[in-house]
Amino acid sequence: MDHHLSPEHEELRSTIEAFAHDVVAPKIGDYYERREFPYEIVREMGRMGLFGLPFPEEYGGMGGNYLALGIALEELARVDSSVAITLEAGVSLGAMPIHLFGTDEQKQEWLPRLCSGELLGAFGLTEPDGGSDAGGTRTTAVRDGDEWVINGSKCFITNSGTDITGLVTVTAVTGRKPDGRPLISSIIVPSGTPGFTVAAPYSKVGWNASDTRELSFSDVRVPAANLLGEEGRGYAQFLRILDEGRVAISALATGLAQGCVDESVKYAKERHAFGKPIGANQAIQFKIADMEMRAHMARVGWRDAASRLIGGEPFKKEAAIAKLYSSTVAVDNAREATQIHGGYGFMNEYPVARMWRDSKILEIGEGTSEVQRMLIVRELGFVG
C-alpha cells in the first residue's frame, strides 16, 4: 500500500495549501465571527475547479477521484473547517448522488453548474425525529400524475440555503413493501419550488461560516422525472453516499488535526515563559509529538480507504475506521492545542479556538462514532 503522492497530486496539494494560507486564512476569521457564508472564497474555489475534482471532464469536472478530493479537504481544513465542509458537502452530498444515480438528462442539467461552483447542491436526509435512524424517514412523496407531491421536513442540512444553492436531493417514503416497511426514494427538489421553505441559519457552536438549515416541504410538487435512480432504492443510495462521504470527512478531520499541530508548533516556538520558549519544555514537546503521531495515522487511514474506493475494492469497514479514528483525533488535537496556547487558546483571534469549536461535530456528522463502531463490528461478522 503506497500512499506517496504522485507528482500531479503533490502539485494539487501544494496549490491548495497556498490558497488556504494566502486566501482563506487572512479572511475566514471575520466571516466566522459574523456567521457569514464566504461567497468570495467559494467563488474562487469554483474557479480553481475544486467542486469538480472527482467528476468526469465531460460534465465540467477535473477527472480526478476521491484521493484528489481528500487532499483538497485536508489542506483546506488545516486552516478552516467551514470552507472545507462547504466543499465536502457540495461534492459528496450535493453533486455525487446525481453523478452516481442520475439519468443522462439530470447529469447534463445539474453537474456542469455544480462542478463549476456556480451552484451548490445539498442532500436532505436527516429529520427532526430521525438522525442515526435514517431508515425511519417520515417525509413522504406521493405520485400524482406526472408529479411527486412532497410533505415533511429535514434538519441540519449543509449548503441548503445559500444564494447559490440550486437543489436539494430529498429522501422520502414513496410507498410500502409487502411486509409494511417503507420504500424510500430520492427526489431532486430545485431551490425556489413553491412550498419548499428554507429556515434561517442555525446558531451553531462551530462551522460558523458554513450554511446549515432546517427545510420544510408543504405540498411541494416536482416533475416525476426528478426521481433520482430507481423508486424504492433511496435507502441503498444514501448508504453508498455516506460510505464515500466518510472518506471525505476523514480527510477533513485529518486536516483539522494537522492544523492543530501547525499552530501549536508555531506558538510553542514564539511564546516565552520563565525566560525560554515554552517549546523548550519536554512536556510541550511530547504533547506535540503525540498530536503529530495522531494526525499522521489519521492520514494513513483515510488514504487507505480512498485507495480501496478508487480501486473498486470493499471499503465500508475501512471508511468507518478512518472516520471514527480521524474524528477522535481531531477532538483530541484541538483540546491539546488549546491547552498549549493557554488563555490565548480561548480567544477567537487564534485559529485553535476555531478548531476547538469545529472539532466536535466531526464525531457526529455523517454517522456518529457509535454508528461507526456498529458498522465495523457488522463487517467483522457480528449481528444484532
Side-chain angles (χ1 to χ4, degrees), residues 60-72:
M62 301 292 286
N65 51 37
Y66 257 90
L67 178 59
L69 175 62
I71 290 168

Side-chain angles (χ1 to χ4, degrees), residues 32-65:
Y32 196 93
E33 290 308 305
R34 296 196 305 266
R35 299 177 179 267
E36 182 179 327
F37 189 78
Y39 288 102
E40 177 186 357
I41 294 173
V42 171
R43 279 193 293 269
E44 182 61 28
M45 290 162 61
R47 287 191 288 266
M48 293 172 67
L50 301 190
F51 288 96
L53 276 173
F55 300 113
E57 294 179 5
E58 64 179 297
Y59 297 114
M62 301 292 286
N65 51 37

Side-chain angles (χ1 to χ4, degrees), residues 180-295:
R181 289 183 298 165
L183 283 170
I184 298 176
S185 303
S186 300
I187 300 174
I188 298 171
V189 181
S191 298
T193 301
F196 174 25
T197 303
V198 180
Y202 288 104
S203 176
K204 298 174 293 189
V205 171
W207 285 359
N208 285 336
S210 74
D211 180 78
T212 316
R213 307 192 188 219
E214 185 172 359
L215 312 178
S216 63
F217 306 88
S218 178
D219 290 332
V220 172
R221 290 179 173 268
V222 298
N226 283 24
L227 179 71
L228 187 63
E230 298 178 29
E231 184 177 353
R233 294 288 297 168
Y235 189 80
Q237 289 172 4
F238 70 66
L239 289 180
R240 167 74 182 274
I241 291 299
L242 291 178
D243 283 341
E244 294 191 1
R246 284 168 188 137
V247 179
I249 285 290
S250 181
L252 189 158
T254 300
L256 188 151
Q258 189 65 59
C260 290
V261 177
D262 299 341
E263 294 297 327
S264 295
V265 169
K266 177 183 176 182
Y267 185 81
K269 291 179 177 179
E270 295 175 349
R271 173 67 169 170
H272 284 66
F274 304 104
K276 61 181 180 181
I278 64 171
N281 297 303
Q282 195 174 67
I284 299 295
Q285 294 173 1
F286 281 10
K287 276 184 182 292
I288 294 175
D290 286 345
M291 292 165 65
E292 175 72 7
M293 174 187 67
R294 291 191 287 260

Side-chain angles (χ1 to χ4, degrees), residues 49-56 59-62 66 69 85-124 157-160 164-170 186 188-189 228-229 237 240-242 244-245 248 366:
L50 301 190
F51 288 96
L53 276 173
F55 300 113
Y59 297 114
M62 301 292 286
Y66 257 90
L69 175 62
I85 195 58
T86 298
L87 175 62
E88 191 278 334
V91 173
S92 297
L93 302 179
M96 191 59 71
I98 294 175
H99 171 58
L100 291 178
F101 311 116
T103 63
D104 289 340
E105 291 78 11
Q106 289 168 342
K107 293 177 183 180
Q108 292 290 349
E109 179 180 2
W110 295 109
L111 282 183
R113 289 181 291 170
L114 294 172
C115 287
S116 70
E118 176 189 346
L119 295 180
L120 290 176
F123 191 59
I157 310 303
T158 305
N159 290 348
S160 59
I164 56 174
T165 299
L167 68 106
V168 178
T169 300
V170 177
S186 300
I188 298 171
V189 181
L228 187 63
Q237 289 172 4
R240 167 74 182 274
I241 291 299
L242 291 178
E244 294 191 1
E366 294 205 34

